[in-house]
Amino acid sequence: MKFVCDGVVLSDAAIIVSKACATRTVIPVYECIKITAKNDGITLVAHDGEITIEKKMKAEVFEEGEICVNGKIFADFITKISMMTVCVAECDSGIKITYGDNSSFMQTLPATEFPYVGGEISADYFEVKQSDLKKLIQSVVFCCATDDSRPILRGCLLEASGNELKASALDGLRMATSSCEAVDGSGNIKIVCPARTLVEISRLLDGTDEVLKLYVEKNMLSVSVGDTVLKSRLYLGEFVRKENIFPTSFTTKVTLRKSELIESLERALLLIRGDKYNLVVFDIKNGGLQISANSDMGNVSETVKAELDGKEIKIAMNGKFLIDAMKALDEEEVVLSFNKETSPFTVTDAGVSEYLIMPVRQGN
């Protein structure tokens, strides 16, 4: 294998593909990018057992072939020489990378060790604008679980039906739901997609109104963005439904300016940095919402103007969870809705996104 290409193009491709390289694995080839040189271009592909990312690019191919190289190291190295023309040639037990008057050697693995990642997926599909999908992902993905206690919660529920695409995510302490317009589709689709997959898809999107087509077949998802193809396995199992945990009515509603509450909460969190629960207390009365937080470093007590509709309430919560939810909302005016100090509360605006957060129980 031997090819010559632009360093910037190769660096960009390697960085994108390396996102699918495993970082902690007992299977060395999962840490690799497989490089295939054929005809007038090269194909880079990585697979970690869950996600596969493949990228094609133009190159001057002198000798066809394929090889596997450590993805993170290769991507980082090519980035350091990206302003030069790069020549990659296979040699004994590795590749020789030539750039300008210099060259370096990198060990490789045989391409035969790279796993087969499946063929084309072209069964069910749904279509959505890139800008809408990017915004939808950003609205919910931060609420996915990060531990393995309940694997399905590491993903987002996506439901495509008619002209609507809905998304839901939760980690056991909070839940996010949102929706956007679906341009077209083959019918009702319901999948649980890994959060990591959605994050990588979002990174590929440029936020335009170009329509994106996502294919689903059995437990696999596939999407093409330009010369990049991303495939991912999907999670199996029943996902928690919004209807089962979101309250249908509230005894207390508070309307306020998002920016003012965020600023106050951020000041409070500075003084309780390191607290496991980021504990803040809201004392909601007519005329305002009082925020208090205490730690060994100090304490804070501030009042934010708010319009109260219903009963007064005092409730403790994770301040960071509330900030995350409010920053994901579009409108400046937000509504916090409560029932009891031990019941979950919601955060909404005039848009389509809704967030539910569990309160923190305080000891007597």
Side-chain angles (χ1 to χ4, degrees), residues 142-298:
F142 63 88
C143 283
C144 291
T146 56
D147 59 63
D148 294 320
S149 58
R150 294 181 65 186
I152 196 170
L153 298 188
R154 293 175 62 90
C156 288
L157 174 66
L158 298 180
E159 298 175 281
S161 177
N163 63 348
E164 186 179 36
L165 175 63
K166 297 179 182 178
S168 301
L170 75 156
D171 62 8
L173 296 173
R174 54 181 172 171
M175 183 174 189
T177 68
S178 192
S179 64
C180 69
E181 180 184 359
V183 177
D184 195 9
S186 60
N188 295 340
I189 295 176
K190 178 181 174 182
I191 59 174
V192 181
C193 186
R196 179 167 161 252
T197 297
L198 294 176
V199 169
E200 296 306 329
I201 290 175
S202 179
R203 285 174 175 162
L204 295 175
L205 305 180
D206 56 15
T208 67
D209 286 339
E210 182 178 350
V211 174
L212 197 66
K213 199 168 188 176
L214 295 92
Y215 291 97
V216 178
E217 186 172 311
K218 294 182 179 178
N219 66 331
M220 293 294 296
L221 172 77
S222 176
V223 57
S224 297
V225 183
D227 294 325
T228 304
V229 178
L230 184 148
K231 297 178 183 178
S232 173
R233 71 178 181 86
L234 302 172
Y235 293 149
L236 301 177
E238 284 299 315
F239 202 84
V240 178
R241 304 288 304 180
K242 169 190 173 182
E243 295 80 7
N244 294 337
I245 63 173
F246 268 70
T248 56
S249 61
F250 300 94
T251 57
T252 302
K253 289 189 177 183
V254 182
T255 304
L256 43 74
R257 291 179 60 82
K258 177 176 69 174
S259 58
E260 293 179 3
L261 182 55
I262 289 175
E263 289 172 1
S264 185
L265 281 170
E266 287 178 338
R267 287 190 289 269
L269 292 182
L270 280 174
L271 285 179
I272 58 172
R273 184 179 295 166
D275 180 76
K276 180 180 179 182
Y277 299 106
N278 298 299
L279 182 65
V280 297
V281 177
F282 281 9
D283 191 357
I284 303 169
K285 299 178 180 179
N286 279 318
L289 182 157
Q290 185 182 46
I291 301 168
S292 60
N294 296 279
S295 74
D296 294 338
M297 294 296 295

Side-chain angles (χ1 to χ4, degrees), residues 57-77:
M57 55 172 283
K58 292 287 185 180
E60 188 176 359
V61 178
F62 294 95
E63 296 178 16
E64 295 186 347
E66 53 185 11
I67 202 72
C68 292
V69 62
N70 184 285
K72 302 294 185 183
I73 295 176
F74 181 75
D76 289 345
F77 188 87

Side-chain angles (χ1 to χ4, degrees), residues 20-22 28-34 45-47 68-71 109 114:
C21 293
V29 77
Y30 277 5
E31 299 179 4
C32 291
I33 290 175
K34 184 176 80 168
V45 59
H47 172 74
C68 292
V69 62
N70 184 285
L109 294 175
F114 197 82

